[in-house]
């Protein structure tokens, strides 16, 4: 799946709203071995879609966008809730292949484990399309991903500035087996080590879960009451971080002495509300509408026998109080004016 890389801006629609994503296209264009004759449409084709998990606001937005686009194209989409469980996803992927769909779409929790499902689809000549977390083995036709390393580095830059480039901060991590979480961690830590030597980082393996973040941040705060900031690998875990700060009496409003800065990631509607209210200082936005739109475009193009990008990467966007009401942010879609 490798080749030359080029860049472009990707603009996608959801209803009447425009979702703007900066895309890095890699590997040129492709068309699978199952490509159909010219003039063939996607209407009536079937897609089995194994999601990451519907307990995450970001993932719900992505699924809703994919479902709508599939419906508009006349595709029969079967959505399967991965529930954030990598072992369950493997079973789901194998079961999805047994249904003989025209394509398989997967957003893996663990890329290594999902390889079994990808290879089974390959054996059955079912084209596979991947989101966010590509498998190390097996063939897939197209991939859409988020530049997680750049997002981690952006999180380090903004948090370092907020804490005045010194002190101790917490990193609230996603799943250890997740490529996304590892890239965010690497981007964050590499930037901190390279540019901010006076900042110490305490990393907590909270597995994407808000309850875990609450318990572990609560414990970290009791051990080190001088913590100045938090970087969370997703906005969902910020709920737990805020609860821990409230429990310890450290949920101080912005601009007041003792305020602990919080930077999340995803740009969810709840995160944007917290930024407006002052309980969260920033979020690194990734656009699920752009991601879902890109991968469905590839699926549709494959059904129609047309070329499509092998790889698309959505770039991160910094969200603060200064731009939190920008209507182009996916977290503001559907927000009443």
């Amino acid at each position: 799946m490798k080749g030359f890389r080029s860049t472009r801006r990707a603009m996608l629609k959801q209803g009447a709203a425009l979702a703007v994503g900066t895309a890095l296209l890699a590997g040129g264009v492709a068309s699978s071995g199952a490509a159909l004759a010219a003039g063939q449409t996607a209407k009536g084709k079937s897609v089995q879609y194994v999601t990451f998990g519907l307990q995450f606001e970001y993932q719900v937005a992505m699924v809703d966008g994919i479902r709508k686009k599939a419906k508009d194209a006349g595709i029969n989409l079967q959505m399967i809730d991965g529930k954030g469980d990598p072992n369950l996803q493997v079973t789901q992927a194998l079961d999805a292949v047994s249904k003989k769909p025209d394509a398989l779409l997967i957003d893996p929790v663990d890329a290594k484990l999902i390889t079994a499902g990808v290879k089974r689809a390959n054996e059955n000549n079912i084209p596979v399309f991947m989101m966010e977390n590509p498998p190390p083995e097996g063939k897939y036709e197209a991939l859409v991903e988020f530049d997680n390393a750049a997002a981690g580095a952006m999180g380090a830059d903004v948090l370092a500035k907020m804490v005045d480039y010194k002190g101790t901060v917490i990193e609230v991590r996603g799943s250890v087996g997740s490529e996304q979480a590892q890239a965010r961690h690497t981007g964050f830590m590499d930037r901190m080590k390279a540019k901010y030597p006076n900042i110490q980082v305490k990393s907590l393996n909270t597995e994407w879960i808000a309850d875990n973040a609450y318990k572990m941040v609560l414990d970290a705060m009791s051990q080190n009451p001088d913590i100045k900031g938090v970087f969370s690998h997703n906005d969902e875990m910020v709920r737990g971080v805020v609860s821990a700060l409230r429990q310890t009496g450290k949920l101080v409003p912005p601009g007041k002495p003792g305020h602990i800065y919080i930077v999340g990631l995803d740009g969810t509607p709840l995160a944007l509300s917290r930024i407006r209210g002052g309980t969260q200082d920033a979020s690194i936005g990734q656009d699920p509408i752009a991601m879902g739109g890109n991968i469905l475009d590839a699926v549709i193009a494959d059904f129609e026998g047309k070329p499509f990008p092998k790889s698309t990467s959505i770039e991160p966007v910094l969200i603060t109080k200064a731009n939190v009401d920008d209507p182009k942010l996916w977290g503001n879609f559907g927000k009443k004016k």
Side-chain angles (χ1 to χ4, degrees):
M1 306 303 295
K2 297 181 180 178
F4 67 86
R5 303 183 67 88
S6 60
T7 59
R8 74 174 185 182
R9 292 276 178 184
M11 297 187 68
L12 300 164
K13 291 184 179 179
Q14 183 192 51
L18 284 176
V20 180
T22 303
L24 175 66
L25 300 182
V29 295
S31 184
S32 81
L36 304 174
Q40 182 67 48
T41 71
K43 187 174 182 180
K45 299 300 175 183
S46 64
V47 175
Q48 291 279 317
Y49 173 24
V50 181
T51 73
F52 188 100
L54 298 183
Q55 69 270 51
F56 303 102
E57 221 178 351
Y58 175 86
Q59 293 292 332
V60 170
M62 183 183 291
V63 168
D64 286 348
I66 288 175
R67 183 187 283 123
K68 181 184 183 300
K69 192 154 194 172
K71 182 179 179 181
D72 290 344
I75 292 172
N76 178 19
L77 180 73
Q78 177 65 46
M79 190 277 296
I80 305 159
D81 184 1
K83 299 183 179 180
D85 185 333
N87 294 300
L88 174 63
Q89 275 196 321
V90 174
T91 300
Q92 291 172 329
L94 294 173
D95 182 62
V97 171
S98 73
K99 292 179 169 58
K100 305 294 183 183
D102 295 300
L104 177 64
L105 174 58
I106 311 175
D107 190 348
V109 177
D110 188 312
K112 292 180 181 177
L113 287 180
I114 208 65
T115 298
V118 173
K119 287 187 173 181
R120 182 70 62 83
N122 295 161
E123 292 166 2
N124 286 270
N125 296 315
I126 298 170
V128 179
F129 295 81
M130 303 298 302
M131 304 185 72
E132 301 192 89
N133 208 358
E137 299 179 62
K139 178 187 175 184
Y140 53 89
E141 307 303 328
L143 166 71
V144 61
E145 58 187 342
F146 176 64
D147 194 337
N148 289 289
M154 184 179 287
D157 286 337
V158 66
L159 188 59
K161 183 177 181 180
M162 288 174 174
V163 302
D164 197 25
Y165 307 105
K166 60 182 181 292
T168 301
V169 300
I170 292 174
E171 179 196 21
V172 179
R173 295 186 59 177
S175 173
V176 174
S178 164
E179 291 289 338
Q180 300 104 303
Q182 183 58 38
R184 291 172 193 184
H185 170 69
T186 300
F188 182 76
M189 293 301 297
D190 285 354
R191 183 61 59 88
M192 281 294 191
K193 291 175 183 177
K195 293 185 66 175
Y196 312 113
N198 294 323
I199 294 178
Q200 292 77 47
V201 179
K202 181 176 179 60
S203 293
L204 306 177
N205 294 327
T206 46
E207 297 290 315
W208 303 118
I209 306 300
D211 285 348
N212 292 347
Y214 165 72
K215 295 171 185 175
M216 296 183 75
V217 171
L218 193 64
D219 183 62
M221 294 299 300
S222 65
Q223 294 182 35
N224 187 343
D226 296 325
I227 287 168
K228 298 175 67 177
V230 179
F231 172 59
S232 174
H233 280 198
N234 69 6
D235 284 325
E236 167 66 15
M237 293 188 291
V238 172
R239 290 195 301 108
V241 174
V242 170
S243 294
L245 296 185
R246 183 178 289 113
Q247 178 75 14
T248 55
K250 291 184 175 293
L251 192 62
V252 178
K256 301 289 186 180
H259 174 70
I260 295 175
Y261 296 93
I262 301 175
V263 178
L265 197 155
D266 280 339
T268 66
L270 283 178
L272 269 53
S273 294
R274 286 193 294 258
I275 291 172
R276 293 185 187 98
T279 55
Q280 183 170 338
D281 298 278
S283 182
I284 311 302
Q286 61 170 325
D287 190 340
I289 311 306
M291 294 187 74
N294 269 286
I295 202 66
L296 252 292
D297 283 343
V299 172
I300 292 168
D302 188 54
F303 286 154
E304 294 177 346
K306 297 177 180 178
F308 51 87
K310 283 178 174 285
S311 180
T312 305
S313 181
I314 305 301
E315 298 298 312
V317 176
L318 177 61
I319 305 169
T320 66
K321 203 152 191 175
N323 66 338
V324 70
D325 292 319
D326 187 337
K328 293 189 295 294
L329 297 173
W330 76 270
N332 285 326
F333 289 177
K335 180 176 176 288
K336 295 182 179 179
K337 297 181 180 180

